[in-house]
Amino acid sequence: MARLDSWAAKRAAFVTNALWVLRDIEGPKGGRMWPAGKYVPQTRTEPEDSVGNWAKGGQKVDNEDIIVFITIGTTHIPKPEDWPV
């Protein structure tokens, strides 16, 4: 998993935990289907509509509909040298 002060963790909180359990809430823009945000973030911070911000609410999950996200295989962050020129 990524270190909490890493660049990856600041943009994508889902890499900080292997398992996320949240209340499933349907909103006007749809449900919580994309833990990294609906679109690829082009920012230096985490998108508002992402798993890290959903978990900040601290809502109870007892007797509620839940959604579970599992993070697997985020051990390699590509760098420019990994891509063919």
Side-chain angles (χ1 to χ4, degrees):
M1 299 286 103
R3 289 178 26 175
L4 294 177
D5 62 344
S6 70
W7 176 81
K10 290 177 183 173
R11 287 185 64 195
F14 67 89
V15 299
T16 60
N17 291 312
L19 180 69
W20 295 83
V21 179
L22 306 163
R23 280 178 71 182
D24 190 16
I25 299 174
E26 288 286 332
K29 296 181 181 179
R32 295 178 166 178
M33 186 176 292
W34 301 278
K38 189 170 182 178
Y39 303 103
V40 176
Q42 299 296 320
T43 64
R44 295 187 185 269
T45 60
E46 184 179 15
E48 286 184 28
D49 191 24
S50 61
V51 73
N53 288 323
W54 298 335
K56 287 180 184 174
Q59 298 173 335
K60 295 186 338 179
V61 295
D62 295 342
N63 299 319
E64 297 288 342
D65 292 335
I66 63 169
I67 189 163
V68 177
F69 295 106
I70 300 172
T71 304
I72 300 172
T74 57
T75 59
H76 177 70
I77 306 296
K79 52 189 178 291
E81 295 84 21
D82 294 338
W83 299 95
V85 178

